[in-house]
Amino acid sequence: MTVRIQVVDDLPAAATAAFLSAVRGAIARQGRCTVALSGGSTPRALYDRLRPDDLDWSKVVFFFGDERAVPLADSLSNFRMVWETLLRQVSATIHPLTHAASYEALLRAELGAGGAFDVMLLGMGDDGHTASLFPGSPVLSERQRWVVDAPGVAPAPRRFTVTAPVIQRAREVLVLVGGAGKAKVLQEVIEGPRGKYPSQLLHEAAGSVFWLVDTAASACLAAR
Ligand code: 6PG
């Protein structure tokens, strides 16, 4: 496992560079790249910057790391957000997440027994959640299933999410954290005792974890 934390002034620009580098690396090594997408406003700023000529998108297979249990066309849907910002412009393969058990079967078929995404995008909420693994959630301790129904918070109290082991198996995780509202929690997640916040499951990741943090969100970190 390798962990990097980088504080940047322009988070969308840094996230775009890191994402493109990770995807290009996977395509160069193995001819295709599986990517788990995240919802949230910070990842959205990355999707907004990606362009059709950035990559050979036909070699990219998109999945969702979590989704709100709403119709895909609903304004709360992560799929709809990523579709409108990125997916409708590119010729990638896209697998929307609409049902936990069938998505797990799809992931088992597409990712193989190792079950590792090449690149996984994640955000972190003000409460330390990541994907749709919220503090106190009963699915935080799930170790067998890959995708589960999960309680969320308003405005989307029902979600689907990949489980902690799936996140921990990903080869390259990019965690995008922006805004002053996350500074205190980020400090605890990175520097505090383990086991308090769902995002701390990333400390047990097998692959590489790259925290990209904007200046405001980094304000409470001792090591900046
Ligand atoms: C979602 C997410 C969620 C998100 C964080 C951070 O569906 O809401 O996938 O985990 O990434 O809440 O969101 P922001 O970047 O908007 O703070």
Side-chain angles (χ1 to χ4, degrees):
M1 171 197 190
T2 60
V3 181
R4 278 184 298 162
I5 302 174
Q6 192 175 322
V7 179
V8 296
D9 291 330
D10 187 340
L11 182 56
T16 303
F19 175 78
L20 289 174
S21 160
V23 174
R24 286 179 186 136
I27 292 174
R29 281 192 304 277
Q30 62 204 29
R32 76 165 199 161
C33 181
T34 54
V35 176
L37 296 160
S38 167
S41 55
T42 320
R44 182 192 176 114
L46 156 66
Y47 308 141
D48 266 331
R49 294 178 74 105
L50 294 168
R51 298 286 172 263
D53 57 1
D54 282 339
L55 284 175
D56 180 353
W57 294 97
S58 68
K59 299 197 160 91
V60 180
V61 187
F62 283 118
F63 299 87
F64 285 75
D66 74 323
E67 180 58 279
R68 288 92 183 269
V70 295
L72 293 178
D74 192 284
S75 60
L76 292 173
S77 155
N78 285 342
F79 172 83
R80 177 173 166 175
M81 182 274 281
V82 192
W83 174 261
E84 289 180 345
T85 48
L86 169 66
L87 299 177
R88 69 177 170 190
Q89 313 171 49
V90 299
S91 57
T93 302
I94 304 159
H95 295 294
L97 166 49
T98 56
H99 182 265
S102 54
Y103 212 67
E104 175 161 335
L106 173 79
L107 291 187
R108 287 180 184 273
E110 289 282 323
L111 302 181
F117 290 113
D118 295 311
V119 177
M120 177 151 213
L121 289 168
L122 288 173
M124 187 192 80
D126 297 3
D127 57 358
H129 82 261
T130 194
S132 282
L133 297 169
F134 288 83
S137 171
V139 298
L140 271 174
S141 56
E142 176 63 47
R143 290 290 173 271
Q144 302 305 319
R145 288 176 295 167
W146 293 18
V147 186
V148 292
D149 294 294
V153 295
R158 291 186 49 238
R159 316 267 182 127
F160 308 111
T161 188
V162 298
T163 53
V166 175
I167 296 174
Q168 289 165 331
R169 285 196 296 265
R171 296 194 177 90
E172 241 174 304
V173 182
L174 290 179
V175 199
L176 310 180
V177 187
K182 296 182 181 170
K184 185 70 193 80
V185 168
L186 182 67
Q187 186 276 330
E188 287 191 69
V189 164
I190 302 286
E191 296 169 353
R194 303 280 171 95
K196 184 167 177 190
Y197 295 106
S199 298
Q200 291 177 308
L201 67 87
L202 287 162
H203 299 325
E204 262 67 64
S208 85
V209 179
F210 188 13
W211 294 82
L212 270 169
V213 177
D214 75 4
T215 314
S218 77
C220 299
L221 292 177
R224 279 199 279 162

